[in-house]
Amino acid sequence: MDDGVNSYIVLLLAYWYSHQQASVIWMNTQSNVFRVGNGTKQGGILSPYLFSRYIRLLLYKICVSKIGCHIGGMAVNVFAYADDVVLLAPSWHGMQDLIAILSGCCKCLDLECNVRKTKCMVVNPISVEKTVHRSFPCSCFSIDGQIIEFVTEFK
């Protein structure tokens, strides 16, 4: 509510999410209804928006860090949708700084980065004259002491 969201909307969402119920249907048999205690709904239309609102401090701190790549003349360093976050940095050192911001904000927000699902990929610039290094040591980035895997492609 610290950013001007209407209090009635907050109350409605708080009621809605604190009174969720579900059941499971498996092989034409339906379970008893049970209470869903926390979290946004998987695939829910509001879930990506609510998560981005929750991590707005993280997004803000990364944006104002001024560490980023230039795409079409615009500085870009973070993309976020639902629970996925992509960091863009022009250098190894820049990426280390962005990961440090990410890690610090996650601690403040009581979030954990799933390092098994976290990947690092080097994308070479169009102009190869701007390339400083073409490869990095495989263990150069980590979150909370866990090494981030390098990949050459990612879906």
Side-chain angles (χ1 to χ4, degrees):
M1 293 181 59
D2 62 347
D3 63 349
V5 174
N6 184 301
S7 61
Y8 290 114
I9 293 173
V10 174
L11 289 171
L12 174 67
L13 291 171
Y15 179 83
W16 185 19
Y17 279 98
S18 65
H19 290 81
Q20 294 182 90
Q21 294 183 332
S23 65
V24 177
I25 298 174
W26 186 59
M27 295 181 65
N28 296 326
T29 304
Q30 184 171 354
S31 73
N32 292 331
V33 173
F34 55 91
R35 187 177 174 286
V36 178
N38 64 351
T40 58
K41 297 177 181 182
Q42 182 75 24
I45 195 164
L46 282 178
S47 298
Y49 175 76
L50 293 173
F51 187 74
S52 69
R53 299 298 304 147
Y54 186 73
I55 64 167
R56 71 185 187 279
L57 173 68
L58 163 69
L59 298 175
Y60 173 77
K61 286 191 173 192
I62 289 174
C63 285
V64 299
S65 72
K66 298 185 180 178
I67 302 165
C69 297
H70 286 79
I71 300 173
M74 187 168 91
V76 178
N77 60 4
V78 63
F79 295 118
Y81 182 74
D83 61 348
D84 293 322
V85 176
V86 175
L87 300 177
L88 299 174
S91 67
W92 177 82
H93 185 20
M95 184 56 74
Q96 279 187 314
D97 291 346
L98 291 180
I99 290 171
I101 294 168
L102 172 82
S103 184
C105 287
C106 284
K107 286 182 177 91
C108 288
L109 296 170
D110 197 25
L111 291 174
E112 288 184 27
C113 290
N114 186 342
V115 180
R116 291 182 314 233
K117 292 183 177 180
T118 302
K119 308 296 179 211
C120 185
M121 186 168 68
V122 175
V123 179
N124 290 319
I126 293 171
S127 176
V128 292
E129 299 85 45
K130 296 180 181 180
T131 303
V132 178
H133 291 283
R134 288 191 170 265
S135 63
F136 298 97
C138 290
S139 61
C140 65
F141 299 122
S142 64
I143 298 175
D144 296 329
Q146 297 181 41
I147 303 299
I148 299 172
E149 177 187 9
F150 264 79
V151 296
T152 56
E153 60 183 42
F154 189 76
K155 288 186 178 184

